[in-house]
Amino acid sequence: QVQLVESGGGLVQPGGSLRLSCAASGSIFRLYVMGWYRQAPGKQRSLVATITGGGSTNYADSVKGRFTISRDNAKNTVDLRMNSLKPEDTAVYYCNAKLGRQDFWGQGTQVTVSS
């Protein structure tokens, strides 16, 4: 069982930056593919970015060049650095951990981009 706790959401103006953090429990964190997903009102949850234990990353086209995912396997954390934020980035952001058939989710953190 893996518990995920997100932090760092909030209200930011268009063009601003935020950093989301996710702290994970468990001793085999490095084996999990970690990811960030988001869900806007009335829309399905969608991929933002993922990172493997070895550091390989994957991004949704809509965030490429603006968002950066990183992880610290020694601290069991995964971060999402978000720059040049747009109103369409407004959503609840969820941390995810996958390993084989195991799939764990955090409770989500709200990000609102508005002037």
Side-chain angles (χ1 to χ4, degrees), residues 65-82:
R66 300 189 298 122
F67 290 13
T68 302
I69 189 170
S70 62
R71 66 190 291 165
D72 187 330
N73 289 335
K75 295 181 179 179
N76 283 19
T77 59
V78 58
D79 289 351
L80 183 70
R81 179 68 179 177
M82 305 184 292

Side-chain angles (χ1 to χ4, degrees), residues 10 14 20 23 35 39 44 54-55 60 77 84 90 95 97-98 108:
L20 305 182
Q39 187 167 17
Q44 290 187 334
T77 59
S84 303
T90 295
C95 182
K98 285 187 175 64

Side-chain angles (χ1 to χ4, degrees), residues 2 5 8 19 21-22 43 49 64 70 76 81-82 84 87 91 97:
V2 175
V5 179
R19 185 175 71 182
S21 294
C22 174
K43 295 187 177 181
K64 282 181 181 176
S70 62
N76 283 19
R81 179 68 179 177
M82 305 184 292
S84 303

Side-chain angles (χ1 to χ4, degrees), residues 13 15-16 19 21 24 31 58-63 67 69 72 81 84 89 92 94-95 100-101 105-106 109 113:
Q13 292 187 341
R19 185 175 71 182
S21 294
L31 299 181
N58 179 54
Y59 295 93
D61 288 343
S62 59
V63 306
F67 290 13
I69 189 170
D72 187 330
R81 179 68 179 177
S84 303
D89 294 317
V92 178
Y94 296 90
C95 182
R101 294 182 179 180
W105 294 91
T109 185
V113 185

Side-chain angles (χ1 to χ4, degrees), residues 5-58:
V5 179
E6 301 103 333
S7 61
L11 173 64
V12 63
Q13 292 187 341
S17 298
L18 275 177
R19 185 175 71 182
L20 305 182
S21 294
C22 174
S25 64
S27 59
I28 57 170
F29 173 80
R30 69 189 186 282
L31 299 181
Y32 285 85
V33 176
M34 300 300 298
W36 287 95
Y37 292 72
R38 65 187 181 187
Q39 187 167 17
K43 295 187 177 181
Q44 290 187 334
R45 192 174 299 186
S46 62
L47 170 73
V48 176
T50 61
I51 184 168
T52 67
S56 296
T57 58
N58 179 54

